[in-house]
Every structure is written in structure tokens, then in C-alpha cells.
Amino acid sequence: NSALASQLESKMAAGETYDVDSLVSITGWALSQLLAELAALEIQGRIVRVPGGWLRQTSQQARGAGRQC
């Protein structure tokens, strides 16, 4: 659901790393719902998986994510 993914993204500060427990606490969502929304945002390139959790990309990072060298 893109509305839920947008809600999740709005709760994540750009450049900050969040682990699953923190995101469950912040959103109050069930783990299965949270993981589905994280996957949707990751597929869209709006967040990335990093050691320790997920990172919300800045607009500039997201624009450059698909570029090939």
C-alpha cells in the first residue's frame, strides 16, 4: 500500500538508520505489515538496507541510485 509506505517514510529521518524494533515502536504496526512496507520502499529505491537496519535516502541519493558508471 503506497499510502502506508509514505506514512512509514515520513516517520524516518533522511540519513538515519532504523532497526526493525525501532520502526515497530515508531509505527505501532505489526511486524509483517512493517516488513511489507519496508520491502515496497526498498523496491522503489526510497530506502536501502544497510548493516543494522534500513536507511531513508535523501532525494539526491535516490536520484543517483539508478545511474550506471
Side-chain angles (χ1 to χ4, degrees), residues 40-68:
L41 287 171
E42 190 173 6
I43 289 168
Q44 295 170 15
R46 293 161 62 181
I47 64 170
V48 292
R49 184 80 193 257
V50 296
W54 285 267
L55 173 73
R56 179 177 165 212
Q57 296 199 62
T58 64
S59 297
Q60 185 177 16
Q61 289 170 322
R63 282 194 301 267
R67 293 186 183 156
Q68 298 290 328

Side-chain angles (χ1 to χ4, degrees), residues 21-45:
D21 293 330
S22 296
L23 290 171
V24 166
S25 178
I26 290 168
T27 61
W29 297 350
L31 181 59
S32 59
Q33 179 183 12
L34 175 64
L35 292 174
E37 301 309 326
L38 286 169
L41 287 171
E42 190 173 6
I43 289 168
Q44 295 170 15

